[in-house]
């Protein structure tokens, strides 16, 4: 009978061709997950819900071995991809609940969750999940914007305001790096500082030098569990055009990857890279660069001898 014939089908699209799984193996040290959600509130740029698929598509151009460390990240990490959270488009609260549940399962494995957004609204539920496991959580947020705006609701621009209110992190040990460009109202930097955050503008980062700034961050955070939140508009739109809120005077590719490699010294327990918007992404440049940023973080996880707080 026809239903006795096995189906010969290709596996789902995964990051760098990593195995697709529905349960994270105990030997895996890193796991990829997608968060295909945007809140639909941007005035003109919608489409970051398509980001996870685009980043996975572009990741196929990467190779598994880092020549500087001679490390095969797929093998060293036992990297797996669990697919996407089951979000409900148009329903912010339900989708954030689904993301928190999805991330909560991953956080409680032996693997570091590496999550691909989606817009900035995915960060708050991820922080809720990660903070349940790690006390004294610090965040390093690479972005043109603070996302700590004094707004109501669980939207992306208010994610780090809500995070302080809910005590999901320690703002005095958390950094917003790369801030720049026009903003919507007065006092936004002052508000973030009042919440306790450490702010480093793009001008300060480049004037003081990447090495000096990142050495200070590393010294301040020491062995604390660190959540990395990387908005792709941290890069200049000349190299990452397909983002939700592009802002000129961002970092170059070389500068951005130098920063990733400096951040690899931290005790990273979760990574969230967001805001690729494929409808605005010429030739998939932002998605490809996003995939490479993830690869660089994976190299750090694979070569680190720091024991995870599990």
């Amino acid at each position: 009978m026809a239903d006795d014939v096995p189906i010969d089908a290709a596996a789902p699209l995964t990051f760098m061709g990593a195995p697709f799984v529905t349960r994270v193996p105990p030997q895996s040290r890193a796991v990829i997950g997608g968060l295909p959600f945007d809140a639909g509130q941007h005035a003109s740029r919608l489409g970051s819900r398509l980001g996870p698929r685009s980043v996975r598509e572009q990741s196929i151009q990467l190779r598994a071995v880092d020549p500087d460390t001679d490390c095969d990240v797929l093998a060293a990490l036992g990297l797996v991809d669990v697919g996407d959270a089951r979000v409900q488009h148009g329903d912010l609260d339900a989708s954030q609940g689904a993301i928190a549940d999805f991330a909560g399962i991953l956080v409680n494995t032996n693997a570091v969750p590496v999550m691909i957004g989606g817009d900035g609204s995915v960060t708050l539920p991820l922080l809720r999940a990660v903070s349940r496991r790690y006390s004294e959580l610090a965040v390093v947020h690479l972005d043109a914007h603070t996302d700590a705006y004094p707004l109501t609701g669980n939207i992306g621009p208010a994610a780090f305001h809500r995070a302080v209110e809910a005590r999901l992190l320690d703002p005095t040990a958390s950094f917003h790096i790369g801030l720049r460009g026009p903003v919507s109202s007065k006092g936004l930097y002052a508000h973030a500082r009042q919440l306790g955050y450490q702010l480093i503008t793009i001008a300060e980062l480049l004037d003081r030098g990447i090495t000096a700034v990142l050495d200070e961050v590393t010294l301040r955070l020491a062995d604390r569990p660190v959540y990395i939140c990387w908005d792709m508009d941290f890069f200049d739109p000349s190299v990452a055009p397909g983002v939700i809120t592009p802002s000129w005077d961002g970092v170059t590719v070389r500068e951005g990857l130098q920063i990733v490699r400096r951040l690899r010294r931290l005790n990273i327990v979760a990574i969230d890279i967001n805001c690729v918007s494929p409808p605005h992404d010429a030739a998939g440049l932002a998605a490809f660069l996003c995939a490479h940023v993830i690869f660089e973080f994976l190299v750090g996880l694979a070569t680190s001898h720091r024991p995870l707080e599990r």
Side-chain angles (χ1 to χ4, degrees), residues 6 14 24 27 46 91 103 136 139 153 163 166 171 191 216 219 230 237 269 304:
T14 64
V24 179
Q27 67 272 20
L46 303 175
D91 191 329
E136 299 185 343
V139 170
H191 178 72
E216 176 190 329
L219 182 63
W230 190 297
V269 299
S304 173

Side-chain angles (χ1 to χ4, degrees), residues 3-179:
D3 56 3
D4 293 330
V5 178
I7 297 174
D8 183 15
L13 177 68
T14 64
F15 187 84
M16 291 181 64
F20 171 74
V21 298
T22 56
R23 293 179 183 271
V24 179
Q27 67 272 20
S28 292
R29 295 172 54 203
V31 54
I32 302 290
L35 308 173
F37 182 79
D38 59 60
Q41 296 173 322
H42 194 278
S44 60
R45 288 204 169 204
L46 303 175
S48 58
R49 67 182 61 181
L50 305 175
R53 179 172 183 84
S54 184
V55 173
R56 287 186 175 107
E57 288 174 344
Q58 294 297 328
S59 75
I60 302 304
Q61 301 186 66
L62 299 172
R63 301 296 180 263
V65 177
D66 172 56
D68 293 330
T69 60
D70 207 31
C71 175
D72 181 327
V73 297
L74 294 179
L77 292 170
L79 186 70
V80 294
D81 190 325
V82 294
D84 293 342
R86 293 185 180 276
V87 299
Q88 297 182 35
H89 297 300
D91 191 329
L92 178 61
D93 291 339
S95 294
Q96 289 196 337
I99 290 169
D101 292 343
F102 179 73
I105 294 171
L106 302 182
V107 169
N108 287 316
T109 68
N110 293 321
V112 173
V114 181
M115 313 299 280
I116 309 170
D119 69 6
S121 68
V122 306
T123 297
L124 184 62
L126 290 176
L127 281 171
R128 293 190 191 281
V130 176
S131 67
R132 292 190 188 106
R133 177 149 193 180
Y134 297 99
S135 60
E136 299 185 343
L137 185 67
V139 170
V140 178
H141 177 215
L142 296 303
D143 197 332
H145 315 93
T146 66
D147 285 0
Y149 295 5
L151 302 173
T152 58
N154 293 333
I155 56 176
F160 287 103
H161 183 118
R162 296 285 91 78
V164 171
E165 291 178 333
R167 299 182 179 180
L168 305 180
L169 50 77
D170 179 356
T172 65
S174 296
F175 292 81
H176 299 272
I177 302 174
L179 308 174

Side-chain angles (χ1 to χ4, degrees), residues 140-143 177-178 200 202 205-206 209-211 213-215 217-218 228 230 234-235 250-266 268 293 296-297:
V140 178
H141 177 215
L142 296 303
D143 197 332
I177 302 174
I200 299 173
I202 193 71
L205 175 67
L206 299 181
I210 289 170
T211 298
V213 169
L214 271 294
D215 282 351
V217 171
T218 301
I228 299 290
W230 190 297
F234 180 62
F235 287 103
V251 298
T252 65
V253 172
R254 182 173 289 111
E255 291 164 343
L257 297 183
Q258 180 185 355
I259 290 167
V260 176
R261 291 165 189 148
R262 290 277 171 177
L263 291 173
R264 295 192 312 207
R265 299 174 294 176
L266 298 172
I268 297 173
V293 169
E296 291 289 344
F297 276 120

Side-chain angles (χ1 to χ4, degrees), residues 215-302:
D215 282 351
E216 176 190 329
V217 171
T218 301
L219 182 63
R220 286 280 303 275
L221 298 184
D223 291 326
R224 297 185 73 144
V226 175
Y227 179 117
I228 299 290
C229 180
W230 190 297
D231 186 318
M232 285 299 293
D233 71 23
F234 180 62
F235 287 103
D236 193 82
S238 61
V239 296
V243 298
I244 298 174
T245 312
S247 182
W248 292 109
D249 199 27
V251 298
T252 65
V253 172
R254 182 173 289 111
E255 291 164 343
L257 297 183
Q258 180 185 355
I259 290 167
V260 176
R261 291 165 189 148
R262 290 277 171 177
L263 291 173
R264 295 192 312 207
R265 299 174 294 176
L266 298 172
N267 180 26
I268 297 173
V269 299
I271 299 171
D272 149 22
I273 301 188
N274 59 58
C275 289
V276 170
S277 183
H280 309 93
D281 196 18
L285 291 178
F288 189 21
L289 181 53
C290 180
H292 194 89
V293 169
I294 293 172
F295 174 81
E296 291 289 344
F297 276 120
L298 293 176
V299 172
L301 295 176

